[in-house]
Amino acid sequence: MKMRKALLGLLTTVLFPLSASADLPKVDAILLPPPMVPPALDRDYPARVKVELETVEKVMTMADGVEYNFWTFGGQVPGNFIRVREGDQIDFNLSNHPSSKMPHNIDLHAVTGPGGGATSSFTAPGHTSSFSFKALNPGLFVYHCATAPVGMHIANGMYGLIFVEPKEGLSKVDREYYVMQGDFYTKGDYGEAGLQPFDMQKAIDEDADYVLFNGAVGALTGDNALTANVGETVRLFVGNGGPNLSSSFHVIGEIFDRAYVEGGSLLNENVQTTIVPPGGATITEFKTESAGNFILVDHAIFRAFNKGALGMLKVSGEQNTAVYSGKKADTVYLPEGSTIQEIGNTQTPRPKIALNFEEQMSMGKRTYEQNCQACHQVEGKGLSTAFPPLANSDFLNANHKRAISVVKHGLSGKIKVNGRTFNSVMPSLALSDNDIANVLTYVLNSWDNKGGTIKANDVTNSPKPENTSSAH
Amino acid sequence: MKLKIMSLIALTCLSYALALNSQAQGMAKIEAGEYRPLYLSEDSPMVNVDTFWLDITPTTNQDYWLFVNQKTRWRKSNIVPIFAESRYLAQWNTPMDVNQNAPSIKGPSDGQLLSPVNHVSWFAAQAYCQAQGKRLPTVAEWERAGSASETQAYGGKEEGYNQTILEWYSTPTKKSLNAVAQNPANFWGIYDLHGLIWEWTEDFNSNLSTGESRGDSSLDQNLFCGSGAAGAVDPSDYAAFMRFAFRGSLKAVYTQANLGFRCASNKEIYP
């Protein structure tokens, strides 16, 4: 009797899930193309969810003037976003468009079973495969085509995201967006126009021509930029289809308040850059505190600026100057010396001292070329109204002591040279007293100046003006 | 009435015969040789392929139109569903019967005559070849013929060989297929083994890949010989992977936009 009861109990446990799945309410999944995300599920119970997804091979724009024959889930890259609930029973129908050249299948990382669905979904052009799975684990998962050669199917754009929403749901946010990175390999280099074929060798070498968000250069910039208002909370569902390159996902000017590490249940906070591996995903959330454009990048930064991995979030609203002031002022920076400061090191060879006028001239010339010529130009001609001339300079020849002070301590403010007014800055250069003596001697004896010799002692004894900016 | 159709067909046949002149025709001899299937490892024995003859072009819409007029059970309107699925000869939309009272017979347009026939099932392809006294080539025969470049019997290692094939996959399916024999013939004098269509083979389904190709190189190798990359001689032979994957996805009734055929035989058959 006891045994019978136990057996009965066992039977009910075994049978229950079957009958439960059959009795589940039936719903059709809402699938949306990027960057849109289907709305949060308002169910607090599992359902039998029907998902219809189509594989299509089609030519689309990869960059300005560059076309590519993408292989897609749903007609764009990445594939349509699928949103189901933990515990849902999913009836998946994969249709391969009759115009396809290739058979395709789907491996959903959310599936627990051989091939992640790939074994059951291998579909010739013009056919539909159906299979069913239970969404056991919550999280953000990648799906992709796994037909041989797998790498080529992925490299041509066959990936997308499926989000298995946890039973308890996610916190409410104001905006949700779908961003997926992928690397592309074309016969022509980046930007080379025309219909570009896939380059197998570059793919094997992992030498990507394009690294893209949502399948095209500019898919998330300009008119296609993501939008939000100041004070809103934004959730980004971020995936990486690969095939080869990991993404160092970063939003310039934002900090992820929360990041679900690798799209799983582990919550990290205050994250600057989060890694999204090929075949992996992450969920990031942040509150927009300030208006402006926020740039989405793969922070392996040449990919952003040279290969296309660039998106934009436009946040409109009031500036919050307490959080970010914007530029308040632009002032002159006058460091003590632009050359590297010397730290007392007895091993340093002693600088060579000029022993006569000729040596002063040749060493002064070298000092001039290294430190002065960039502004005062070759032969001391100066540069328009920015940098006064040193050639035949009345200002220079009139007062050698002043000249020493200018080089040693710097000069800022209005001066008049050869009848023209200059209002600029000369930084104090970290030159030795010997160098200053040499360079001034060189300048005084060049380019129609009136001559004279400056000694290192004169420089040493030059007093620091009380206020450099009011020296004149 | 029946006579009228017959004479109409005779008339169209005549105009096709004129078009036929510009078409490359006949069979080419492929000497006995060896071929190593993609899925076998480096030290596995090569497969011997005996001398055989292969059509130098894929079967065209024109060829097939002549065939269905001889064997009318293979007409688009007469096809039995167990021999071909509903898209059978979907590209044939030109009414060939001007008699208003008779059910319209659909055939190829003039522009399609020299293009490979597509949307044909394995059964239909096999029936066509039999009617010519031929058969479909085996996978081994097809791969042996297809491994030739323009200049060598084994051209697979030639620079650009793979990339040229791969570029076909990088172009979208066309509304109508190009005419046959528009590109250079290969070493054996055979056209269009790559770059125009997929082709049926006699034993297309003997390659027991599972649909989950990534698992096919595991311990089940005896059972599933259509191996994944790990077991392949040349993992970079993407073009071959795709052919094996494609064949693996087929059933004999399938008809597809990019799938046609050509015939083979053990001795030369003259048209």
Side-chain angles (χ1 to χ4, degrees):
Chain A
M1 176 67 195
K2 205 173 178 181
M3 219 172 93
R4 266 180 69 187
K5 210 171 180 179
L7 197 66
L8 199 70
L10 190 69
L11 269 174
T12 12
T13 15
V14 171
L15 287 175
F16 180 72
L18 292 172
S19 58
S21 304
D23 294 344
L24 290 175
K26 289 184 178 172
V27 294
D28 289 342
I30 302 168
L31 273 63
L32 289 180
M36 291 181 283
V37 176
L41 302 172
D42 51 6
R43 288 185 277 119
D44 56 1
Y45 51 87
R48 196 163 188 112
V49 182
K50 188 173 167 191
V51 175
E52 309 252 11
L53 193 56
E54 184 191 41
T55 55
V56 192
E57 300 164 8
K58 68 191 270 196
V59 171
M60 292 185 287
T61 299
M62 179 181 267
D64 214 11
V66 182
E67 297 199 304
Y68 191 81
N69 191 34
F70 290 92
W71 299 354
T72 73
F73 286 104
Q76 77 288 311
V77 177
N80 293 337
F81 195 103
I82 307 168
R83 189 166 194 157
V84 297
R85 185 179 175 277
E86 181 184 357
D88 279 353
Q89 188 73 32
I90 290 107
D91 292 322
F92 205 101
N93 299 295
L94 185 73
S95 300
N96 190 359
H97 196 275
S99 70
S100 294
K101 281 181 177 167
M102 295 294 155
H104 297 295
N105 64 10
I106 191 166
D107 169 349
L108 298 119
H109 293 178
V111 170
T112 312
T119 47
S120 320
S121 59
F122 191 40
T123 311
H127 286 259
T128 300
S129 298
S130 304
F131 65 101
S132 178
F133 69 93
K134 195 175 176 80
L136 297 175
N137 301 61
L140 183 60
F141 298 97
V142 166
Y143 66 79
H144 63 90
C145 183
T147 300
V150 183
M152 185 173 173
H153 283 257
I154 293 175
N156 281 341
M158 295 202 80
Y159 42 76
L161 290 178
I162 176 170
F163 180 47
V164 181
E165 201 169 297
K167 279 175 181 159
E168 64 278 13
L170 290 184
S171 60
K172 200 172 159 3
V173 293
D174 301 295
R175 309 267 175 171
E176 288 186 330
Y177 289 115
Y178 171 19
V179 178
M180 197 156 184
Q181 183 171 320
D183 29 302
F184 291 87
Y185 304 84
T186 53
K187 198 175 179 197
D189 290 337
Y190 179 89
E192 206 169 305
L195 178 63
Q196 288 293 333
F198 167 71
D199 191 308
M200 183 191 66
Q201 195 55 50
K202 283 183 183 173
I204 292 170
D205 296 343
E206 307 192 8
D207 176 19
D209 296 286
Y210 294 85
V211 180
L212 302 174
F213 291 137
N214 292 1
V217 175
L220 290 176
T221 57
D223 291 343
N224 303 322
L226 307 177
T227 55
N229 296 316
V230 170
E232 289 185 330
T233 306
V234 178
R235 176 179 292 139
L236 299 178
F237 292 94
V238 184
N240 188 357
N244 290 323
L245 305 178
S246 286
S247 176
S248 303
F249 185 70
H250 176 83
V251 178
I252 297 174
E254 268 300 345
I255 297 157
F256 303 133
D257 298 328
R258 289 169 297 282
Y260 290 86
V261 177
E262 292 163 4
S265 304
L266 177 64
L267 192 60
N268 198 358
E269 292 182 324
N270 305 321
V271 178
Q272 55 188 316
T273 299
T274 188
I275 190 92
V276 191
T282 185
I283 306 169
T284 67
E285 296 170 0
F286 53 90
K287 189 178 173 210
T288 57
E289 303 282 1
S290 195
N293 292 336
F294 295 81
I295 311 297
L296 284 60
V297 295
D298 178 340
H299 215 296
I301 210 70
F302 276 101
R303 297 176 190 168
F305 296 106
N306 298 71
K307 297 186 174 184
L310 203 69
M312 187 183 283
L313 172 69
K314 283 184 182 167
V315 178
S316 39
E318 295 282 310
Q319 285 291 356
N320 183 349
T321 50
V323 174
Y324 183 70
S325 70
K327 191 163 190 168
K328 286 165 114 173
D330 182 339
T331 51
V332 164
Y333 172 53
L334 212 60
E336 278 304 312
S338 61
T339 53
I340 295 162
Q341 296 284 319
E342 194 178 309
I343 299 163
N345 182 345
T346 51
Q347 299 301 311
T348 308
R350 293 183 69 81
K352 198 179 174 219
I353 309 282
L355 299 174
N356 51 42
F357 179 75
E358 280 69 35
E359 281 192 10
Q360 263 203 306
M361 283 297 280
S362 72
M363 290 165 78
K365 182 169 190 283
R366 200 180 317 135
T367 304
Y368 180 82
E369 286 166 356
Q370 286 169 0
N371 296 280
C372 318
Q373 188 167 290
C375 296
H376 290 290
Q377 302 294 297
V378 182
E379 299 187 341
K381 285 187 299 247
L383 195 65
S384 69
T385 56
F387 306 114
L390 300 179
N392 193 16
S393 164
D394 56 357
F395 184 85
L396 173 69
N397 290 306
N399 188 339
H400 289 184
K401 280 191 177 158
R402 181 175 64 187
I404 293 168
S405 171
V406 168
V407 179
K408 188 173 180 185
H409 303 297
L411 177 67
S412 171
K414 262 187 198 168
I415 56 167
K416 208 167 196 181
V417 181
N418 295 351
R420 288 168 68 191
T421 304
F422 293 83
N423 189 357
S424 191
V425 177
M426 161 132 171
S428 132
L429 299 167
L431 296 172
S432 71
D433 291 351
N434 272 311
D435 286 341
I436 291 172
N438 295 342
V439 77
L440 279 170
T441 303
Y442 168 70
V443 170
L444 285 170
N445 292 282
S446 304
W447 322 313
D448 300 330
N449 282 323
K450 297 195 167 111
T453 306
I454 308 289
K455 298 253 173 343
N457 251 357
D458 305 335
V459 181
T460 312
N461 297 331
S462 168
K464 185 175 176 147
E466 277 174 24
N467 188 338
T468 45
S469 61
S470 61
H472 306 280
Chain B
M1 153 79 187
K2 196 168 183 184
L3 199 74
K4 207 171 168 185
I5 295 176
M6 287 307 289
S7 62
L8 187 78
I9 289 167
L11 198 72
T12 37
C13 288
L14 190 70
S15 66
Y16 293 159
L18 291 172
L20 215 63
N21 289 334
S22 59
Q23 188 193 340
Q25 268 190 307
M27 303 188 90
K29 185 183 187 183
I30 292 154
E31 302 290 348
E34 291 180 319
Y35 136 79
R36 187 181 347 243
L38 168 79
Y39 48 83
L40 293 185
S41 61
E42 198 81 58
D43 47 358
S44 59
M46 304 282 275
V47 171
N48 280 316
V49 181
D50 291 339
T51 299
F52 69 104
W53 295 79
L54 189 63
D55 285 352
I56 63 168
T57 69
T59 305
T60 62
N61 280 305
Q62 172 178 282
D63 300 332
Y64 201 77
W65 170 246
L66 296 174
F67 163 69
V68 299
N69 286 317
Q70 288 162 4
K71 310 271 182 188
T72 53
R73 63 185 293 199
W74 294 101
R75 269 200 186 135
K76 192 177 174 179
S77 50
N78 295 344
I79 193 71
V80 181
I82 56 163
F83 286 141
E85 58 182 12
S86 58
R87 270 187 298 270
Y88 179 64
L89 297 174
Q91 76 278 17
W92 287 9
N93 289 312
T94 308
M96 303 307 256
D97 178 12
V98 287
N99 188 325
Q100 299 292 321
N101 301 318
S104 184
I105 294 171
K106 299 280 181 61
S109 68
D110 287 352
Q112 292 174 326
L113 292 178
L114 297 182
S115 299
V117 66
N118 52 346
H119 291 114
V120 282
S121 65
W122 178 87
F123 294 112
Q126 186 75 341
Y128 173 93
C129 292
Q130 271 170 15
Q132 324 298 318
K134 303 177 189 173
R135 56 177 173 79
L136 285 173
T138 63
V139 169
E141 285 170 343
W142 198 100
E143 291 289 329
R144 160 107 173 108
S147 62
S149 65
E150 281 176 46
T151 54
Q152 296 177 66
Y154 299 98
K157 294 288 172 209
E158 244 174 59
E159 201 180 338
Y161 171 86
N162 252 327
Q163 185 64 26
T164 312
I165 297 175
L166 289 176
E167 280 174 24
W168 178 56
Y169 310 115
S170 294
T171 55
T173 296
K174 291 188 173 156
K175 278 255 158 57
S176 56
L177 296 168
N178 286 349
V180 299
Q182 301 299 299
N183 290 310
N186 75 4
F187 174 79
W188 305 107
I190 296 174
Y191 296 89
D192 302 319
L193 285 167
H194 306 290
L196 188 56
I197 45 163
W198 302 106
E199 295 183 13
W200 282 110
T201 47
E202 188 173 51
D203 54 345
F204 71 95
N205 54 357
S206 66
N207 168 236
L208 294 174
S209 67
T210 56
E212 171 32 336
S213 55
R214 297 165 299 176
D216 292 347
S217 55
S218 69
L219 295 174
D220 283 347
Q221 243 172 359
N222 291 334
L223 179 59
F224 305 122
C225 52
S227 181
V233 185
D234 180 4
S236 70
D237 193 356
Y238 274 33
F241 274 113
M242 284 190 284
R243 287 195 297 276
F244 279 89
F246 181 80
R247 289 179 192 129
S249 77
L250 297 175
K251 288 181 180 162
V253 292
Y254 284 12
T255 65
Q256 305 209 332
N258 289 297
L259 177 57
F261 69 97
R262 73 179 76 214
C263 306
S265 60
N266 296 344
K267 57 181 196 315
E268 186 164 22
I269 309 271
Y270 299 94

